[in-house]
Amino acid sequence: MKPKIFVTRKIYTEVLLELKKNCEVEIWDQEDVPVPRHILEEKIPHIDGLYCLLTENIDKKLLDEAKNLKIISNMAVGYNNIDISAATEKGILVTNTPGVLTETTADLTFALLMATARRIIEADRYLKEGHWKTWSPNLLTGQEIHGSNLGIIGLGEIGIAVAKRAKGFNMNILYYNRNRKHEVESSLGIHYADLNSLLKQSDFVCVLTPYTPETKNLIDKEQLRMMKKSAILINTARGGIVNENALYDALTSEVIWGAGLDVFEEEPVSLKNSLLALPNVVVLPHIGSASLNTRMEMARMAACNILQALNGEVPQNLINKELACT
Ligand code: GLV
């Protein structure tokens, strides 16, 4: 008998066919609507594998209903949506999709940095709305990018890829990370700083750290107050790392100059969120890894992880590695 899996969103046909060759597949077949919780609860006791997205909250309560579940394959690099310790306790493997989205997410991070600093979105709107009367010395002046100081919070693969891009813009790069990365420091010519020094010295602060209980509200009122008045905060990691109320206050009282946000505490962000009304904020709907190629690679990788696990192998991108030896 083929193992049973549940896929929580419409995915690429090619990937779905590959899964169907090996498994009995049920799918929440909608493009833009996450699977309702009650459907997930209904499916979970009967499946061997779950193929899910970062929109699904895989908490302990849900996992308590799992009877045969062997693998949760998250089609994302971040996995803060999954209670890893509850899964591990139950012997359920959890996998993610690292690597394949690194460069694409770094591209988007840099694009957001540039769009915010040079007011690209505002300028586009200005022209299209017919405000452009003449060239003018102060028209839509922004912040310098080349030669400025970039502070990277979280020097994982994406942080390193952002640093490489910043080198091309002659930026001076500081980073803050749980562990120092001496080799990367010398190969890229970047410097370690503690969080406070990084915040004080940077013209751009890029948040690229995973979202964990330790990084929740890592950037709060106190941290924003340490930043330069001309500084720009970029967040392409997870919304909860930056306190949105504190950010709103900082942006409206000239504590910092601007922000570029691809992620929010609540997603999709409410149109009532006051950050959306600010001219010095560029917002995106969590599209860091959204290129056609990368999303296809992520989907394939998530499928590969689930198939490996159901085949009794250790999946390539296992997060709870302690389960590999059991
Ligand atoms: C996207 O945010 C991901 O974690 O892959």
Side-chain angles (χ1 to χ4, degrees):
M1 232 174 47
K2 284 181 178 177
K4 288 195 175 102
I5 67 171
F6 184 58
V7 180
T8 63
R9 197 74 63 84
K10 188 168 181 177
I11 51 167
Y12 305 97
T13 312
E14 173 201 312
V15 176
L16 194 58
L17 288 176
E18 186 59 27
L19 290 171
K20 281 185 174 167
K21 263 196 238 158
N22 301 281
C23 310
E24 201 179 301
V25 183
E26 267 199 273
I27 179 164
W28 174 253
D29 199 9
Q30 297 203 25
E31 199 114 35
D32 289 327
V33 187
V35 60
R37 173 76 180 195
H38 73 272
I39 304 275
L40 209 47
E41 282 171 1
E42 196 183 295
K43 301 292 172 197
I44 209 93
H46 312 291
I47 55 175
D48 303 289
L50 177 67
Y51 184 119
C52 63
L53 310 185
L54 54 80
T55 44
E56 277 76 65
N57 179 19
I58 313 297
D59 55 16
K60 178 164 168 13
K61 188 163 175 285
L62 184 73
L63 292 175
D64 280 342
E65 301 305 315
K67 304 277 177 289
N68 310 315
L69 192 61
K70 293 170 194 66
I71 161 92
I72 302 165
S73 174
N74 209 32
M75 192 191 129
V77 67
Y79 46 85
N80 54 293
N81 57 314
I82 303 172
D83 186 333
I84 302 292
S85 55
T88 308
E89 214 170 278
K90 292 173 193 310
I92 303 168
L93 308 173
V94 183
T95 59
N96 66 342
T97 59
V100 287
L101 50 68
T102 300
E103 299 297 330
T104 306
T105 308
D107 286 346
L108 190 278
T109 303
F110 221 82
L112 185 54
L113 180 155
M114 296 187 76
T116 312
R118 296 301 305 273
R119 303 171 66 179
I120 301 292
I121 311 299
E122 213 183 326
D124 176 89
R125 206 173 299 136
Y126 179 88
L127 187 155
K128 289 176 180 167
E129 288 175 358
H131 303 294
W132 191 23
K133 300 289 181 262
T134 181
W135 188 93
S136 165
N138 277 326
L139 178 62
L140 289 160
T141 46
Q143 298 293 342
E144 209 73 273
I145 298 167
H146 68 274
S148 63
N149 294 345
L150 170 66
I152 297 177
I153 300 179
L155 196 74
E157 287 184 14
I158 299 171
I160 293 172
V162 168
K164 286 182 180 158
R165 282 154 181 76
K167 291 304 281 181
F169 283 75
N170 220 9
M171 292 168 99
N172 310 304
I173 304 161
L174 297 172
Y175 78 97
Y176 167 70
N177 199 55
R178 262 181 319 180
N179 331 305
R180 267 189 85 160
K181 301 202 169 169
H182 294 280
E183 266 176 38
V184 184
E185 283 177 36
S186 50
S187 68
L188 289 184
I190 67 177
H191 304 281
Y192 177 82
D194 61 52
L195 183 58
N196 294 355
S197 326
L198 179 148
L199 293 167
K200 285 179 193 155
Q201 293 176 57
S202 299
D203 299 302
F204 296 92
V205 172
C206 274
V207 176
L208 289 165
T209 187
Y211 186 35
T212 64
E214 292 74 45
T215 62
K216 183 172 163 65
N217 289 335
L218 182 69
I219 305 298
D220 212 326
K221 185 173 175 182
E222 193 190 330
Q223 289 69 33
L224 290 160
R225 291 215 164 272
M226 287 182 203
M227 289 171 64
K228 297 183 183 181
K229 264 180 166 323
S230 55
I232 292 176
L233 180 83
I234 302 294
N235 188 3
T236 51
R238 286 292 184 269
I241 304 169
V242 177
N243 182 321
E244 283 180 5
N245 290 333
L247 179 62
Y248 177 83
D249 291 344
L251 287 162
T252 47
S253 51
E254 295 183 16
V255 170
I256 67 168
W257 190 84
L261 307 172
D262 184 40
V263 288
F264 297 87
E265 282 172 11
E266 267 189 44
E267 295 183 2
V269 66
S270 160
L271 290 180
K272 293 191 184 121
N273 185 318
S274 40
L275 283 167
L276 271 56
L278 300 182
N280 50 346
V281 179
V282 175
V283 288
L284 300 174
H286 202 150
I287 55 167
S289 61
S291 75
L292 291 171
N293 279 347
T294 293
R295 286 288 165 83
M296 175 58 107
E297 285 308 314
M298 289 165 70
R300 283 199 190 114
M301 187 177 250
C304 187
N305 283 325
I306 210 165
L307 293 175
Q308 284 174 331
L310 293 176
N311 204 22
E313 297 161 37
V314 176
Q316 200 182 342
N317 307 109
L318 185 62
I319 292 160
N320 42 3
K321 293 202 172 16
E322 54 272 53
L323 293 183
C325 358
T326 57

